[in-house]
Amino acid sequence: MDFSFYKLNCELEYLNNSKCESNMKKNVFYLLGIIFIMVSCYPDGPEYYEDLDVVYTNYSEDFDFNSNNTFAMPDKIVKIEGNLIEGEDPEFVQEPINSQLIGQIESNMTTKGWTKVEDPANADLVLFPAVVTNTTVVYYYDYWCWYYPYYCGWGYYYPVSVSSYTTGTLIMSLVADGENYVQPSAIWYAAANGIMTGEYNTSRVTRAIDQAFEQSPYLDTK
Amino acid sequence: MKRIIVLAIFTILAGTITLFSQDKSHFSINYDMSFGTGDLGDFISKPSFRGASAQYRIAVKDNILLGVDAGWNVFYEKKEDDSYTSGTQTISGIQYRYQNEIPILIAADYLFTADKKIQPYVGIGIGAMYTERIVDMNLYRFELSPWHFAMKPEAGMMYEISDKTDLKLAGKYYYGFNTEDLDSQGYFTVSLGFAFQL
């Protein structure tokens, strides 16, 4: 820092009084000290994985949930890993995690008044659970070809308003098809971001599933 | 990056003021505690204990001072797990909310008792206030950073503790007017610091 102008002032006004420069330096020192303290105590953000848990839901306002009350659901959670090779089955979430999650989802649907049926062709809606294992934003119906051939060949869609996922996001979609929806359409969508990454924690995942249903009161058919 | 630029402006401003100071002038540095009001108070209800300000004043009459103010206050609150709905979309989780307020103002003070050991005063400032509002949720960050036209009434007192140094205690209210991006932002500040006669 160039103190020459200040020194000149000091010399003129105080006849070379050394206190002048020392006072100025002290003031700057105090100011820099305060700025340093403020920067160093800038508030921290999340400390634990759980602090980052976020559950997102969205639904179609055009769909009348109250006039539907049956659903079907595969007993395996697929891993979405990008383009699925035609004719091949997807990867699935391993047991016993798979069964724990399927049970939790089914329990929430039942609590909301929905009745599970085995054949998706006879159900009002089909619930697709999936885990995204990369950062894809594309969601292929072909992932459920193995479960219900009706969904083969419908291509993909972009889940609403979610610009990106983190690896390990759990996705649940309620899909309508049939008379009003010849092309399958996701009329409810839930994403629990990143909860299937790192060390698997049952309580974290089940809490996220419960939260997705809790913040979707329109699913209640009772 | 913006924070660094503002910090640099703050430092340069304060340094320049110090370097170019004249007779019957003072420079003060203060620790600020602030409490958000209105929209800011709704966004972050917790008070801010992270704040500082610098003031430079030069006497144009015995009891009238003109100068500049610069400050920095950091508001922060961790909002516990909650749901936020917009249209058909709902998102739930923990939110980390931050708001930085950086006012840079031209100011004038009126001293009720000039050249006394205790000098009560009132003042007003007019200028700009930079707001940086951040909401962190998971890996998502929502950020707004408008500049407001700002005003600041102030009342306080200086207490002489030596020939060259006064203790300074003040209450201030910073008010940034509406912008396109953000409603008006206001906060009350209690400020304690030292004024150095230059």
Short mmCIF file of all heavy atoms in Angstrom, two decimals, chain A residues 81-108:
data_model
loop_
_atom_site.label_atom_id
_atom_site.label_comp_id
_atom_site.label_asym_id
_atom_site.label_seq_id
_atom_site.Cartn_x
_atom_site.Cartn_y
_atom_site.Cartn_z
N GLU A 81 -30.00 -46.45 -15.30
CA GLU A 81 -28.57 -46.22 -15.55
C GLU A 81 -28.30 -45.58 -16.90
O GLU A 81 -27.20 -45.65 -17.42
CB GLU A 81 -27.81 -47.55 -15.45
CG GLU A 81 -27.92 -48.16 -14.06
CD GLU A 81 -27.32 -49.56 -13.98
OE1 GLU A 81 -27.62 -50.36 -14.87
OE2 GLU A 81 -26.57 -49.83 -13.04
N GLY A 82 -29.33 -44.98 -17.51
CA GLY A 82 -29.15 -44.40 -18.84
C GLY A 82 -29.92 -45.21 -19.87
O GLY A 82 -30.97 -45.78 -19.56
N ASN A 83 -29.42 -45.28 -21.09
CA ASN A 83 -30.10 -46.03 -22.14
C ASN A 83 -30.12 -47.52 -21.82
O ASN A 83 -29.09 -48.11 -21.51
CB ASN A 83 -29.40 -45.82 -23.47
CG ASN A 83 -29.69 -44.44 -24.02
OD1 ASN A 83 -30.82 -43.96 -23.95
ND2 ASN A 83 -28.67 -43.79 -24.55
N LEU A 84 -31.30 -48.10 -21.92
CA LEU A 84 -31.44 -49.53 -21.68
C LEU A 84 -31.27 -50.26 -23.01
O LEU A 84 -31.86 -49.88 -24.01
CB LEU A 84 -32.84 -49.79 -21.11
CG LEU A 84 -33.12 -51.19 -20.58
CD1 LEU A 84 -32.25 -51.51 -19.39
CD2 LEU A 84 -34.60 -51.30 -20.21
N ILE A 85 -30.43 -51.28 -22.99
CA ILE A 85 -30.22 -52.04 -24.23
C ILE A 85 -31.47 -52.87 -24.52
O ILE A 85 -31.99 -53.57 -23.63
CB ILE A 85 -28.98 -52.95 -24.09
CG1 ILE A 85 -27.74 -52.07 -23.88
CG2 ILE A 85 -28.80 -53.84 -25.32
CD1 ILE A 85 -26.50 -52.82 -23.48
N GLU A 86 -31.95 -52.75 -25.74
CA GLU A 86 -33.21 -53.40 -26.11
C GLU A 86 -33.13 -54.91 -25.87
O GLU A 86 -32.14 -55.55 -26.24
CB GLU A 86 -33.52 -53.11 -27.59
CG GLU A 86 -34.95 -53.43 -27.95
CD GLU A 86 -35.29 -52.95 -29.36
OE1 GLU A 86 -34.57 -52.07 -29.88
OE2 GLU A 86 -36.26 -53.47 -29.92
N GLY A 87 -34.15 -55.43 -25.26
CA GLY A 87 -34.19 -56.86 -25.01
C GLY A 87 -33.57 -57.29 -23.69
O GLY A 87 -33.73 -58.43 -23.28
N GLU A 88 -32.87 -56.38 -23.04
CA GLU A 88 -32.25 -56.73 -21.76
C GLU A 88 -33.06 -56.19 -20.60
O GLU A 88 -33.66 -55.10 -20.70
CB GLU A 88 -30.83 -56.15 -21.68
CG GLU A 88 -29.82 -56.90 -22.51
CD GLU A 88 -28.40 -56.48 -22.19
OE1 GLU A 88 -28.21 -55.70 -21.23
OE2 GLU A 88 -27.50 -56.91 -22.92
N ASP A 89 -33.07 -56.92 -19.51
CA ASP A 89 -33.72 -56.42 -18.29
C ASP A 89 -32.80 -55.43 -17.58
O ASP A 89 -31.58 -55.54 -17.69
CB ASP A 89 -34.02 -57.59 -17.34
CG ASP A 89 -35.24 -58.38 -17.80
OD1 ASP A 89 -35.95 -57.87 -18.70
OD2 ASP A 89 -35.46 -59.47 -17.27
N PRO A 90 -33.39 -54.51 -16.86
CA PRO A 90 -32.54 -53.57 -16.10
C PRO A 90 -31.94 -54.23 -14.87
O PRO A 90 -32.30 -55.34 -14.50
CB PRO A 90 -33.54 -52.48 -15.69
CG PRO A 90 -34.84 -53.18 -15.62
CD PRO A 90 -34.82 -54.25 -16.67
N GLU A 91 -31.05 -53.53 -14.22
CA GLU A 91 -30.53 -53.96 -12.92
C GLU A 91 -31.59 -53.64 -11.86
O GLU A 91 -32.38 -52.70 -12.03
CB GLU A 91 -29.25 -53.20 -12.60
CG GLU A 91 -28.08 -53.51 -13.49
CD GLU A 91 -27.48 -54.86 -13.20
OE1 GLU A 91 -27.30 -55.17 -12.01
OE2 GLU A 91 -27.22 -55.62 -14.16
N PHE A 92 -31.56 -54.41 -10.78
CA PHE A 92 -32.51 -54.16 -9.69
C PHE A 92 -31.77 -53.88 -8.38
O PHE A 92 -30.62 -54.31 -8.20
CB PHE A 92 -33.43 -55.37 -9.50
CG PHE A 92 -34.25 -55.69 -10.72
CD1 PHE A 92 -33.93 -56.77 -11.53
CD2 PHE A 92 -35.32 -54.89 -11.07
CE1 PHE A 92 -34.67 -57.06 -12.67
CE2 PHE A 92 -36.07 -55.17 -12.20
CZ PHE A 92 -35.75 -56.25 -13.01
N VAL A 93 -32.46 -53.20 -7.49
CA VAL A 93 -31.91 -52.96 -6.15
C VAL A 93 -31.85 -54.29 -5.43
O VAL A 93 -32.78 -55.11 -5.51
CB VAL A 93 -32.79 -51.95 -5.38
CG1 VAL A 93 -32.38 -51.87 -3.92
CG2 VAL A 93 -32.72 -50.58 -6.04
N GLN A 94 -30.75 -54.52 -4.72
CA GLN A 94 -30.55 -55.82 -4.08
C GLN A 94 -31.44 -56.00 -2.85
O GLN A 94 -31.90 -55.04 -2.24
CB GLN A 94 -29.08 -55.98 -3.69
CG GLN A 94 -28.65 -54.98 -2.61
CD GLN A 94 -27.17 -55.03 -2.34
OE1 GLN A 94 -26.38 -55.39 -3.19
NE2 GLN A 94 -26.79 -54.66 -1.13
N GLU A 95 -31.63 -57.27 -2.51
CA GLU A 95 -32.36 -57.61 -1.30
C GLU A 95 -31.41 -57.50 -0.10
O GLU A 95 -30.19 -57.66 -0.27
CB GLU A 95 -32.92 -59.04 -1.38
CG GLU A 95 -33.98 -59.21 -2.45
CD GLU A 95 -35.27 -58.47 -2.12
OE1 GLU A 95 -35.41 -57.94 -1.00
OE2 GLU A 95 -36.13 -58.37 -3.00
N PRO A 96 -31.85 -57.24 1.12
CA PRO A 96 -33.25 -57.05 1.52
C PRO A 96 -33.74 -55.60 1.36
O PRO A 96 -34.88 -55.30 1.69
CB PRO A 96 -33.23 -57.45 3.00
CG PRO A 96 -31.87 -56.99 3.46
CD PRO A 96 -30.95 -57.20 2.29
N ILE A 97 -32.85 -54.74 0.85
CA ILE A 97 -33.24 -53.33 0.74
C ILE A 97 -34.47 -53.19 -0.14
O ILE A 97 -35.41 -52.45 0.18
CB ILE A 97 -32.06 -52.51 0.16
CG1 ILE A 97 -30.86 -52.57 1.11
CG2 ILE A 97 -32.47 -51.06 -0.08
CD1 ILE A 97 -29.57 -52.05 0.50
N ASN A 98 -34.46 -53.94 -1.24
CA ASN A 98 -35.58 -53.87 -2.18
C ASN A 98 -36.91 -54.12 -1.47
O ASN A 98 -37.86 -53.33 -1.59
CB ASN A 98 -35.35 -54.88 -3.30
CG ASN A 98 -36.50 -54.92 -4.28
OD1 ASN A 98 -36.68 -54.00 -5.06
ND2 ASN A 98 -37.30 -55.99 -4.21
N SER A 99 -36.98 -55.20 -0.73
CA SER A 99 -38.25 -55.57 -0.07
C SER A 99 -38.65 -54.56 0.99
O SER A 99 -39.85 -54.26 1.16
CB SER A 99 -38.13 -56.95 0.58
OG SER A 99 -37.94 -57.91 -0.43
N GLN A 100 -37.65 -54.02 1.69
CA GLN A 100 -37.96 -53.00 2.72
C GLN A 100 -38.64 -51.79 2.07
O GLN A 100 -39.64 -51.27 2.58
CB GLN A 100 -36.68 -52.54 3.41
CG GLN A 100 -36.10 -53.56 4.37
CD GLN A 100 -34.73 -53.15 4.89
OE1 GLN A 100 -34.10 -52.22 4.37
NE2 GLN A 100 -34.25 -53.84 5.91
N LEU A 101 -38.08 -51.35 0.96
CA LEU A 101 -38.62 -50.15 0.32
C LEU A 101 -39.97 -50.41 -0.31
O LEU A 101 -40.90 -49.59 -0.20
CB LEU A 101 -37.64 -49.61 -0.73
CG LEU A 101 -36.23 -49.26 -0.25
CD1 LEU A 101 -35.47 -48.49 -1.31
CD2 LEU A 101 -36.27 -48.44 1.03
N ILE A 102 -40.09 -51.54 -0.98
CA ILE A 102 -41.38 -51.90 -1.60
C ILE A 102 -42.47 -51.96 -0.52
O ILE A 102 -43.57 -51.44 -0.69
CB ILE A 102 -41.27 -53.26 -2.33
CG1 ILE A 102 -40.41 -53.11 -3.59
CG2 ILE A 102 -42.65 -53.83 -2.67
CD1 ILE A 102 -41.07 -52.40 -4.74
N GLY A 103 -42.12 -52.58 0.62
CA GLY A 103 -43.08 -52.69 1.72
C GLY A 103 -43.49 -51.32 2.25
O GLY A 103 -44.67 -51.07 2.54
N GLN A 104 -42.53 -50.44 2.35
CA GLN A 104 -42.83 -49.09 2.88
C GLN A 104 -43.72 -48.31 1.92
O GLN A 104 -44.65 -47.60 2.35
CB GLN A 104 -41.50 -48.34 3.11
CG GLN A 104 -41.63 -47.09 3.97
CD GLN A 104 -41.97 -47.41 5.41
OE1 GLN A 104 -41.73 -48.52 5.89
NE2 GLN A 104 -42.57 -46.46 6.10
N ILE A 105 -43.44 -48.42 0.64
CA ILE A 105 -44.25 -47.71 -0.36
C ILE A 105 -45.68 -48.26 -0.35
O ILE A 105 -46.66 -47.51 -0.33
CB ILE A 105 -43.61 -47.86 -1.77
CG1 ILE A 105 -42.25 -47.16 -1.82
CG2 ILE A 105 -44.54 -47.29 -2.84
CD1 ILE A 105 -41.42 -47.51 -3.05
N GLU A 106 -45.78 -49.58 -0.35
CA GLU A 106 -47.11 -50.21 -0.36
C GLU A 106 -47.91 -49.83 0.89
O GLU A 106 -49.11 -49.53 0.80
CB GLU A 106 -46.93 -51.74 -0.43
CG GLU A 106 -48.23 -52.49 -0.70
CD GLU A 106 -47.99 -53.99 -0.87
OE1 GLU A 106 -46.90 -54.37 -1.37
OE2 GLU A 106 -48.89 -54.76 -0.47
N SER A 107 -47.24 -49.80 2.01
CA SER A 107 -47.89 -49.44 3.25
C SER A 107 -48.46 -48.01 3.18
O SER A 107 -49.59 -47.75 3.62
CB SER A 107 -46.88 -49.55 4.40
OG SER A 107 -47.34 -48.89 5.54
N ASN A 108 -47.70 -47.11 2.61
CA ASN A 108 -48.18 -45.72 2.49
C ASN A 108 -49.36 -45.62 1.54
O ASN A 108 -50.31 -44.86 1.79
CB ASN A 108 -47.04 -44.82 2.00
CG ASN A 108 -46.20 -44.28 3.14
OD1 ASN A 108 -46.58 -43.33 3.82
ND2 ASN A 108 -45.06 -44.91 3.37
#
